[in-house]
Amino acid sequence: DIYSVGATFYHILMGEKIRDYNSELDFRRLAGKSSRAFAQVIKKAVKNRPEERYQSAREMYLAFQKITQKDKRYKSLLRRQHIFMGLWLMLLAASFALSGFGVYLLQQDRILTYEELVEQQTAYRENGDYEKEQETFEKALQTYPFGQETYYQQAYTLYEKGDYEACIAFIDQDILENKKLDLQKRLEDIYYLKADSYYRLEKYEESAGVYEELFKLQVTNAQYYRDYAIALAYTGAYETANEILEQAIEKGLAEDSIYYVKGEIGYSLKNFEEAITQFSRCVQSTEDTELLERSYILLSKIYEEQGQLEQDRNILMKAREVLPAQSQIIVLERLAQVN
């Protein structure tokens, strides 16, 4: 009975019964004790004319379900909840943003410190202060262990010190096998250090093999072509060595380097006259200290192999006059042997 349900709710809320069918409800009091939407449901349920009431229990049930949608206080509560939720989400987003920005600033600070350390490390290497270079390398690793440049400078230090075996081992174990490093910017230079270290150890096959890996990287540095040609010459691959030399010349290889490569190829062929001619041309035309040193040393070796000790001594004395102090170690060692 729809009417009875409405009358029962009215009694519960108001504490009094509906007097008869024709009685008007005190709608204002009823709404005050419940809500306007609830009072509307009760009012309709107890209409005097049955056709104006709810026509089924389900219809009345659905009306009760919609009360919250019509209730102003409920709508106001929902609005407050939505506003609160929006503010909370905004605060949460701001918190994440500030946290992320803080992490970003810390990361930037680490990278800046790392770059300063690498600059110091490079300066120590260039000045030959290898002990401080090692200390700075370790600090750079602690600051930012993913930086490739500090590893490269350390490998370069081992190379400059003449510790070629250690340089090769460091490159293989600490750089190439290090999955944390992005080596794209320095990979060519790292391969070159490894290849030239093998060359300095007179392991020409291994050197040429590393150069083959290097040249898979679309190399454009003419110096790398130059030294690859030299390594090939010492493996006996003279035709290929000359082809690589021609490619180096096409890429703008300087005149002094061309003389030097031709001298190395002549020396590998035991064509000493040609080698002396080319190394002498390199000495006369170059301002590159490394090429100058290597040309003088090879001229000394040629004279030594030919038993021309006087010429050997003279060329070493000339090298001592023109080379800077830091490049004279091998020259002085050979001069002591000649004397």
Side-chain angles (χ1 to χ4, degrees):
D1 188 341
I2 302 299
Y3 182 93
S4 297
V5 172
T8 301
F9 274 119
Y10 180 85
H11 188 189
I12 292 171
L13 284 168
M14 303 296 290
E16 60 186 40
K17 296 181 180 180
I18 299 174
R19 290 190 297 274
D20 55 54
Y21 289 108
N22 297 318
S23 300
E24 285 291 331
L25 297 181
D26 190 339
F27 185 81
R28 181 175 295 181
R29 281 183 62 211
L30 180 60
K33 287 183 175 290
S34 57
S35 70
R36 187 174 183 83
F38 188 87
Q40 290 282 6
V41 175
I42 302 304
K43 181 179 179 181
K44 183 172 181 177
V46 295
K47 285 284 189 181
N48 183 36
R49 294 166 60 86
E51 62 270 18
E52 294 178 355
R53 303 171 193 162
Y54 295 107
Q55 298 304 299
S56 68
R58 177 171 177 77
E59 186 181 350
M60 187 175 182
Y61 169 74
L62 292 175
F64 274 125
Q65 279 196 323
K66 294 178 181 179
I67 285 175
T68 54
Q69 298 175 16
K70 298 177 180 180
D71 192 338
K72 291 183 179 179
R73 288 177 296 179
Y74 179 74
K75 289 180 179 180
S76 177
L77 175 63
L78 283 181
R79 282 196 297 272
R80 289 197 300 272
Q81 287 180 341
H82 289 156
I83 292 170
F84 174 79
M85 184 62 70
L87 289 173
W88 184 82
L89 289 173
M90 288 173 63
L91 288 173
L92 185 62
S95 175
F96 280 128
L98 288 173
S99 176
F101 186 64
V103 171
Y104 170 78
L105 288 178
L106 286 174
Q107 183 75 348
Q108 290 300 109
D109 185 59
R110 285 176 61 199
I111 292 174
L112 182 61
T113 303
Y114 164 79
E115 290 175 349
E116 291 173 351
L117 287 169
V118 171
E119 287 182 9
Q120 294 174 18
Q121 181 186 1
T122 305
Y124 287 137
R125 176 187 62 75
E126 291 174 347
N127 293 328
D129 193 342
Y130 300 129
E131 184 175 344
K132 287 187 177 179
E133 185 281 334
Q134 178 68 33
E135 292 175 1
T136 312
F137 167 64
E138 292 171 1
K139 289 179 182 178
L141 280 188
Q142 292 174 358
T143 303
Y144 189 69
F146 314 110
Q148 60 175 328
E149 188 62 24
T150 189
Y151 282 93
Y152 171 71
Q153 292 300 326
Q154 177 67 2
Y156 205 161
T157 296
L158 295 170
Y159 172 82
E160 284 188 343
K161 287 168 64 178
D163 199 349
Y164 302 119
E165 293 282 5
C167 179
I168 293 167
F170 180 78
I171 289 172
D172 284 340
Q173 298 168 16
D174 294 81
I175 298 180
L176 297 180
E177 293 183 7
N178 192 336
K179 303 302 182 183
K180 296 179 181 178
L181 298 181
D182 178 10
L183 299 174
Q184 293 305 313
K185 293 181 180 179
R186 278 296 193 183
L187 192 56
E188 288 185 13
D189 299 329
I190 289 165
Y191 271 124
Y192 175 73
L193 285 180
K194 182 179 177 181
D196 204 50
S197 292
Y198 275 125
Y199 172 80
R200 301 301 179 100
L201 293 168
E202 298 184 359
K203 296 181 178 181
Y204 304 120
E205 293 286 350
E206 289 89 341
S207 178
V210 177
Y211 275 118
E212 287 178 12
E213 292 299 315
L214 170 59
F215 276 75
K216 291 177 182 178
L217 303 176
Q218 305 298 320
V219 175
T220 58
N221 190 324
Q223 179 181 332
Y224 296 169
Y225 282 83
R226 179 196 74 189
D227 292 350
Y228 184 25
I230 295 168
L232 286 169
Y234 282 101
T235 65
Y238 304 113
E239 184 176 343
T240 307
N242 281 302
E243 290 175 0
I244 296 297
L245 175 58
E246 289 301 319
Q247 292 179 34
I249 293 171
E250 290 174 4
K251 293 186 179 296
L253 187 66
E255 188 178 49
D256 56 351
S257 287
I258 296 171
Y259 293 143
Y260 178 77
V261 176
K262 289 182 176 180
E264 286 268 26
I265 293 174
Y267 180 70
S268 68
L269 287 166
K270 301 299 180 183
N271 186 349
F272 294 141
E273 184 177 348
E274 172 67 10
I276 290 172
T277 299
Q278 297 299 337
F279 286 135
S280 297
R281 287 176 177 172
C282 180
V283 165
Q284 292 168 8
S285 62
T286 191
E287 295 181 358
D288 186 318
T289 301
E290 184 183 3
L291 281 183
L292 200 60
E293 178 188 356
R294 291 168 72 170
S295 295
Y296 275 124
I297 296 301
L298 285 167
L299 283 168
S300 172
K301 287 183 177 181
I302 291 170
Y303 290 131
E304 180 186 26
E305 291 182 31
Q306 290 182 321
Q308 299 177 17
L309 299 182
E310 187 65 28
Q311 288 90 332
D312 189 5
R313 185 181 298 105
N314 290 339
I315 202 68
L316 289 171
M317 291 297 293
K318 183 68 179 294
R320 185 180 178 185
E321 292 174 6
V322 299
L323 287 172
Q326 64 267 27
S327 301
Q328 291 187 19
I329 297 174
I330 300 177
V331 171
L332 293 173
E333 288 176 353
R334 292 189 64 81
L335 191 57
Q337 293 172 4
V338 173
N339 292 332

